[in-house]
Amino acid sequence: QGDQARSAAGTAKTEEESESAAIIAESQEKLKRVLATPEGKIKYMKWLFKLADTDGKRRVRVEELAMILKAISLDGLSMSELVYEE
């Protein structure tokens, strides 16, 4: 009975992980569609700045830059995807 409970818990965890992975993949695809336009890239970069500007001084400190880079990485992006021409 203990093995069945562990197996059921493992299956539930696997399903939960699959669901989470699907949600993340869907979010990344939506973000990439937004970033396909210069306007979308600007909006995303403004959001990143607001996220990182924790002290509200409108300047990015080293710690805040690290937060921006981590957010970009967690979003599954590379810096080259944020480049745009006006």
Side-chain angles (χ1 to χ4, degrees):
Q1 204 173 31
D3 288 339
Q4 287 178 333
R6 278 192 291 277
S7 178
T11 301
K13 186 176 181 182
T14 302
E15 289 173 8
E16 201 173 289
E17 289 170 347
S18 295
E19 203 172 293
S20 293
I23 291 169
I24 290 169
E26 183 180 332
S27 297
Q28 287 176 335
E29 285 304 312
K30 285 182 182 179
L31 178 57
K32 288 188 182 203
R33 284 194 299 272
V34 168
L35 295 176
T37 66
E39 297 83 13
K41 289 177 184 183
I42 290 168
K43 188 174 182 179
Y44 178 75
M45 288 188 283
K46 284 182 179 181
W47 173 82
L48 281 174
F49 185 83
K50 284 182 182 179
L51 172 73
D53 187 24
T54 56
D55 59 11
K57 293 185 177 179
R58 300 193 45 80
R59 291 185 313 184
V60 176
R61 298 184 330 250
V62 172
E63 299 84 12
E64 294 169 332
L65 178 59
M67 186 182 300
I68 288 172
L69 296 174
K70 183 174 182 177
I72 291 169
S73 174
L74 289 172
D75 283 339
L77 302 172
S78 68
M79 290 298 290
S80 64
E81 293 175 277
L82 299 178
V83 175
Y84 69 95
E85 295 180 28
E86 289 190 26

